[in-house]
Amino acid sequence: MEEGGQMLAKIDGHPFGGIQLTGERFPLAEVRMVAPMLPSKVVAIGRNYADHAAEMGNDVPTEPIMFIKPSTSVIGHGEAIMYPQGLSERVDYEGELAVVIGRLCREVPVERAKDVIFGYTCANDVTARDLQKRDVQFTRAKGFDTFCPLGPWIETDLDATDLALTTSVNGELRQSGRTSQLVFDIPALIAHVTAVMTLLPGDILLTGTPAGVGPVFPGDEVSVGIEGIGTLTNRVITRD
């Protein structure tokens, strides 16, 4: 993509098998953005910012809290988040940095974590908060279709240790944090997760959300921006 976000360059091939530029370019306004990756699984981390743990009335965890969002929850930039009316009365946004895994990996030591990272993108860990409080685990609250927007693209050349992260609803700033505030940093998360499960190329690791989470409603527009990556924007609509 060219500076200013005006043009997209078409590629041939697959990110994990080698790509080439075709020479074709298209105006961004004429292109429908889809999720930059369809993962086999999305592994998310809860309460990984101390201020968010506090606002939810929880202690900072002593080890990462893991949960899974299904691949069917993934959508791209510009696609609609479907509000599950009749099933939930409180749906929240959660802006997060997402790590894209670049190779099959298991039991990755902290010092080798960077070797398995393909890149980074923006994410919104949409959550049915009332169902999360009602259930023993997070599957239903986090797993609705469209509850994992990712995008707008993957940034592969980035130092993610101290990036500004913001979330806005209808242009109003709601969240503001930095990735340097993570309780467990990215290498520690990769080591922790891969001690439990094998990650595949394209799998997504959500690193947690800072304080300022809150509800959204049909008609709202949510934007998650991360320094050095871009802005992921999705509108909330009524689920049919």
Side-chain angles (χ1 to χ4, degrees), residues 109-132:
V110 168
E111 60 270 17
R112 296 288 304 278
K114 290 184 178 180
D115 296 343
V116 307
I117 297 173
F118 178 74
Y120 305 90
T121 192
C122 305
N124 186 352
D125 177 20
V126 184
T127 304
R129 192 70 69 196
D130 52 346
L131 302 184
Q132 183 185 24

Side-chain angles (χ1 to χ4, degrees), residues 2 9 14 18 26 28-29 39 52 58 60 83 91 99 122 136 138 146 149 157 196 200 214 229 234 240:
E2 291 187 355
H14 191 279
F26 303 93
L28 180 59
H52 172 60
N58 297 307
V60 175
Y83 196 106
V91 173
V99 180
C122 305
V136 175
F138 298 168
T146 76
D157 184 15
V196 176
L200 306 179
I229 300 177
N234 302 88
D240 294 333

Side-chain angles (χ1 to χ4, degrees), residues 75-79 81 92-97 121-126 149-152 164-177 209-217 219-227 229-236:
I75 58 172
H77 171 75
E79 295 188 271
I81 299 167
D92 285 9
Y93 56 83
E94 293 189 11
E96 307 198 12
L97 173 71
T121 192
C122 305
N124 186 352
D125 177 20
V126 184
L150 297 172
L165 185 159
T166 62
T167 304
S168 300
V169 178
N170 301 325
E172 179 183 341
L173 182 65
R174 300 289 181 85
Q175 289 184 286
S176 180
T209 194
V213 300
V216 289
F217 304 94
D220 286 343
E221 185 176 81
V222 186
S223 295
V224 178
I226 300 179
E227 180 182 5
I229 300 177
T231 302
L232 167 69
T233 299
N234 302 88
R235 184 170 294 278
V236 183

